[in-house]
Amino acid sequence: MSAVNDFQSAVQKLDSRYNTKELRSSVRAFHAPVDRTWLGQKSNKASLTRILALPVLAKALAERWGLTAHDDIVNKVTETLAYDFWEVNGEPLTTEVASELADWANRTVANSPRYFDNLGISSEPAPVPTPTPAPEPAPAPTPAPSGDATAQLGALIQQIAGSSVNEGRVREIVREAVEGLGGAGITIQLPAPADPIQLDGHHHASFADLLALTNCGNVWLTGPAGSGKTTGASNVAKALGLPFYAMSVGPQTTKTDMFGYTVAGTGEYKPSLLFTAYTQGGVLLLDEADTCHAGVAKQLKIVLGQDFASFDGQMAERHPDFRVIACANTVGQRSTAYVSAQVQDQAFLDEWLILDWGYDEVLEDRLVKAYAAKDSTKEADILRWCDLVRKARKRIAETGETKALASPRATIKGCKLLLSGVSFDTVKRTCLTNVWGSLDLERKLLG
């Protein structure tokens, strides 16, 4: 459709010619209805360019279809917007919002004849590129019941390799994926035109949720010690192809630690990790966030909720690719198990999307099997060790014991020690000291 080509050409010109601040000024100048279209990403340059290029689409569609009536033009723009090509965060634009934008675009064409000149783009139809023949599509897989994982995997394999893979081979591949060293891995599809990113290894069951939430706002990842929160945050950065920054916060963390400082005498600003991530883009991990001092948390609030922030007097604009993940053992509450946790202000907590990140025992099983496969002579001890940790964990949950912890971290440390030739009894004493610290507690937990 030539109208769509005109629209995409205008988007490319706007995107290459103007920065986010200039685009935002143009949006305001032309009174574009933007509040309901940014969907929480107010610095999203892609959204701004598409909004400002909409009059090009309205004009091209009207000329293509010979439309003159306002409603007819708006309906055609709405139809194209809502169902054909504009997606925000992977979701189609709603008809209601698309209609509002279409109405604005048509009025802009009618009432602002110099609109295109002001933006520096042409309203002339863009040349239609010669289409490249599409490759022969792969045969569509036969839909499988949602509960039959083997059938679903078989459908995927058949889509890639044809029908030569039988059910027996599918089951063999499943077994290799679960018990092998490499792990099943996970494929992350970023918005076009980026290519998919393959993350190797095993991943937490809630990783897809974490990735989705990180693209929508600031994420507060809460879970017990040793549940893999930091690893999950690091993998989000890999999945998004962004730099990863990590800093621990606590009662002694100062405003200078978070926001940098200016050298007395020279006036040179020394940036912090927060400043670097905020201005250049990247995933910032704030570890132990529930131990943060209330004063520092108050200063962080503006960074989390606004497009601009002051860093020791240095005004900075939030980069579109700035993401924040806070890892914590509580949701800003005091805890008998995590005594360093502080009560956090509700206004500060309101800036976060809360995601529970518990122990993933399926993931733990896969990791244990991977360690066991490295040395068959140690396999029995490794599996026995995992069972012992699980038994202690279950009893801890049943008794409400707050002085003991049996996390997957203890499981993994024990597996590594056993592979290194350390005796089972030594592993028991060194990896679960808080559990075996007293005979009474050991009897209480294991009977």
Side-chain angles (χ1 to χ4, degrees):
M1 179 185 292
S2 61
V4 174
N5 291 331
D6 294 342
F7 175 84
Q8 293 174 339
S9 175
V11 167
Q12 292 173 358
K13 290 180 180 179
L14 285 166
D15 189 63
S16 62
R17 189 166 300 182
Y18 299 100
N19 60 37
T20 303
K21 184 176 180 180
E22 292 169 333
L23 290 170
R24 193 178 292 118
S25 297
S26 296
V27 165
R28 287 195 294 267
F30 289 103
H31 306 289
V34 297
D35 292 342
R36 297 170 60 196
T37 64
W38 286 359
L39 302 180
Q41 297 193 30
K42 295 184 178 180
S43 59
N44 189 329
K45 189 175 183 182
S47 295
L48 293 173
T49 55
R50 281 162 174 75
I51 290 168
L52 290 173
L54 279 179
V56 176
L57 176 65
K59 186 173 186 295
L61 284 171
E63 292 174 349
R64 175 177 175 81
W65 294 93
L67 303 175
T68 55
H70 173 275
D71 289 345
D72 290 339
I73 296 175
V74 170
N75 288 339
K76 185 58 67 176
V77 175
T78 300
E79 178 183 346
T80 307
L81 273 179
Y83 303 111
D84 285 345
F85 60 88
W86 187 359
E87 294 185 351
V88 177
N89 290 338
E91 296 294 333
L93 202 64
T94 65
T95 303
E96 179 184 6
V97 175
S99 179
E100 180 181 357
L101 287 167
D103 179 71
W104 168 80
N106 189 49
R107 285 187 283 104
T108 301
V109 172
N111 301 329
S112 303
R114 294 190 60 78
Y115 177 88
F116 305 103
D117 294 337
N118 290 340
L119 289 180
I121 60 177
S122 172
S123 62
E124 296 300 319
V128 180
T130 303
T132 302
E136 187 70 22
T142 303
S146 59
D148 190 345
T150 299
Q152 290 180 348
L153 181 59
L156 177 61
I157 294 173
Q158 288 182 8
Q159 182 182 7
I160 299 172
S163 59
S164 60
V165 182
N166 58 33
E167 182 178 352
R169 177 55 182 153
V170 170
R171 294 187 180 279
E172 183 180 351
I173 292 173
V174 171
R175 185 168 59 254
E176 291 173 353
V178 172
E179 298 180 356
L181 295 177
I186 185 170
T187 299
I188 308 301
Q189 176 64 63
L190 299 179
D195 295 326
I197 293 176
Q198 175 71 29
L199 294 185
D200 296 328
H202 305 289
H203 298 275
H204 195 282
S206 297
F207 178 72
D209 291 336
L210 174 59
L211 181 61
L213 290 179
T214 304
N215 269 324
C216 297
N218 314 304
V219 181
W220 184 284
L221 199 59
T222 178
S227 56
K229 299 184 293 295
T230 301
T231 301
S234 173
N235 282 332
V236 165
K238 293 177 183 177
L240 296 177
L242 296 175
F244 179 64
Y245 306 93
M247 59 185 301
S248 181
V249 297
Q252 301 302 316
T253 302
T254 66
K255 180 181 176 183
T256 298
D257 295 329
M258 296 298 299
F259 290 87
Y261 65 95
T262 302
V263 179
T266 66
E268 179 187 4
Y269 173 68
K270 295 293 186 180
S272 63
L273 285 181
L274 172 60
F275 177 85
T276 302
Y278 187 82
T279 57
Q280 299 180 19
V283 176
L284 175 67
L285 166 66
L286 298 177
D287 202 16
E288 309 295 344
D290 53 352
T291 68
C292 183
H293 186 278
V296 174
K298 202 72 174 178
Q299 295 294 325
L300 273 174
K301 190 174 183 302
I302 191 171
V303 173
L304 299 172
Q306 303 297 327
D307 290 338
F308 295 89
S310 172
F311 290 80
D312 198 32
Q314 306 287 324
M315 288 303 299
E317 182 177 0
R318 180 183 181 127
H319 193 280
D321 291 330
F322 175 59
R323 306 285 189 271
V324 186
I325 299 175
C327 292
N329 300 127
T330 72
V331 188
Q333 305 167 5
R334 294 197 186 279
S335 168
T336 56
Y338 303 102
V339 295
S340 297
Q342 304 292 316
V343 176
Q344 299 294 328
D345 186 84
Q346 287 298 317
F348 173 63
L349 293 175
D350 192 49
E351 297 289 348
W352 303 90
L353 302 170
I354 310 298
L355 178 62
D356 182 66
W357 191 273
Y359 292 149
D360 184 351
E361 293 194 343
V362 174
L363 172 59
E364 186 180 31
D365 282 337
R366 291 174 176 172
L367 294 172
V368 168
K369 289 177 181 178
Y371 281 115
K374 292 182 178 182
D375 187 344
S376 60
T377 65
K378 302 293 194 322
E379 180 177 1
D381 277 348
I382 287 175
L383 297 180
R384 177 187 167 202
W385 170 246
C386 180
D387 289 341
L388 186 61
V389 175
R390 291 276 183 84
K391 185 176 182 180
R393 185 183 304 159
K394 181 179 179 181
R395 290 292 291 150
I396 290 170
E398 292 172 348
T399 61
E401 177 60 57
T402 60
K403 298 179 181 179
L405 184 69
S407 74
R409 181 182 293 145
T411 305
I412 293 171
K413 287 190 296 185
C415 289
K416 291 180 178 179
L417 289 175
L418 290 169
L419 283 175
S420 298
V422 177
S423 70
F424 190 91
D425 286 341
T426 301
V427 169
K428 177 181 172 182
R429 289 196 306 271
T430 57
C431 293
L432 289 176
T433 303
N434 49 351
V435 173
W436 320 124
S438 71
L439 184 61
D440 290 341
L441 186 56
E442 181 175 353
R443 288 172 177 170
K444 178 181 179 181
L445 294 179
L446 296 181

